[in-house]
Amino acid sequence: MTIRTETRTGALAMGAVAMASVGGSVAVSGVLADAPLFTVQAIRYAAASLLLLALARAARVPIRLPRGAEWMWLSGVAALGLVLFNVALVRGSEHAEPAALGVAVACVPVVLALVGPLLEGGRPAPGAVIAAVVVTAGAALVQSGGRTDLAGLGWAATVLACEVGFTLLAVPVLRRHGPWGVSVHTCWIATAQLTVLAALTEGPGAATTLRGPHIAAIAYLAVVLTAVAFVLWYSAVGRLGTALAGLLTGVAPVAAAAVGVLLGGPVPGPTVCAGTALVVGGLLLGVRTRPDGKQQAEPKIPSAGTMG
């Protein structure tokens, strides 16, 4: 069965918008630098959970209760892709420049191109891996390196593992729960995990320290970066497969650079422009690549039962 061109184009657009939202949120996240981390994230994901449930109900999308091994996969996405990811970004920023952490995230396309097809019942395609390497190189140029120390490298590796886990750990449950179900369940599970961490480390009064700008930033992250971006991203992964969808993560640093200019930052130099060109070239190469030698084969998303 082949993926119709319009369906594939729509999926590519959804993934690109999701990653552009991630890149564009960099400035917003900076507003929360002095806010209690676990409390802020717990509020963010709680708000996103409620919004997702309301939108799913309005759209008449059924949200199924997890069963069996699905609890493990969904809890893994929440713990690794949401909770630990945010901790790694904050702690990593104490030892590494943001660009250094960004380069770690830029490596996501290569990992997804190599590992993703194995989880989907196939094998890595050389063309897809080459496209991922091109996108990664471009994204790294856009980030332009960044200084770090040994601890920073460790946190950067953690950021990479979390970003990969956010996608790969969802693969076994996407077929049954779909993008809406995966988004809802991972958000409320992360809320529970973060609430416990906030109570233990920040205390119940931490929420009272939040100011107006904090609340506005949380609202933006809950709506745009979580509720909207999660559904779009998992929709793209389900329709495109992890290898092709993974290339779209290269859009994030390009979007971050563009937003920086819109907010009054300097116009990107030749290195950033060259990196952007590589990202675009890698995406075009990936779209034209035949994943397993037969262009447009629909990815096989295994169920949790299939994964064991």
Side-chain angles (χ1 to χ4, degrees), residues 11-246:
L12 287 167
M14 287 188 288
V17 170
M19 287 299 108
S21 300
V22 172
S25 69
V26 173
V28 175
S29 298
V31 176
L32 299 170
D34 61 342
L37 172 63
F38 297 129
T39 298
V40 162
Q41 297 301 330
I43 295 172
R44 165 193 173 182
Y45 289 118
S49 299
L50 295 174
L51 178 58
L52 283 165
L53 283 171
L55 292 174
R57 183 173 182 178
R60 297 183 179 180
V61 177
I63 303 297
R64 299 180 176 87
L65 187 68
R67 62 189 183 191
E70 292 174 351
W71 285 106
M72 177 187 69
W73 295 111
L74 291 167
S75 296
V77 174
L80 192 67
L82 279 60
V83 178
L84 183 56
F85 177 76
N86 284 290
V87 173
L89 282 180
V90 172
R91 297 292 177 258
S93 65
E94 298 171 356
H95 298 271
E97 294 181 354
L101 298 176
V103 171
V105 175
C107 295
V108 169
V110 175
V111 179
L112 292 182
L114 290 171
V115 181
L118 299 177
L119 292 179
E120 296 165 351
R123 59 184 180 182
V129 174
I130 292 172
V133 171
V134 173
V135 169
T136 292
L141 280 177
V142 172
Q143 297 287 350
S144 300
R147 294 189 300 273
T148 182
D149 57 20
L150 187 59
L153 289 175
W155 282 117
T158 302
V159 167
L160 172 59
C162 291
E163 187 71 8
V164 170
F166 177 74
T167 297
L168 293 185
L169 292 178
V171 168
V173 292
L174 265 177
R175 173 177 291 176
R176 180 168 179 266
H177 290 277
W180 285 91
V182 171
S183 298
V184 167
H185 289 308
T186 54
C187 281
W188 76 256
I189 291 173
T191 299
Q193 296 170 343
L194 287 160
T195 299
V196 173
L197 290 171
L200 293 175
T201 62
E202 298 167 351
T208 62
T209 65
L210 299 178
R211 303 186 302 274
H214 294 149
I215 301 301
I218 292 171
Y220 175 86
L221 295 178
V223 176
V224 178
L225 188 57
T226 308
V228 174
F230 278 25
V231 172
L232 290 176
W233 178 248
Y234 285 130
S235 296
V237 172
R239 298 182 187 185
L240 300 173
T242 53
L244 180 52

Side-chain angles (χ1 to χ4, degrees), residues 19-20 23-24 138-139 142-143 249-260 268 272 275-277 279-280:
M19 287 299 108
V142 172
Q143 297 287 350
T249 60
V251 172
V254 175
V259 169
V272 174
T276 300
V279 169
V280 173

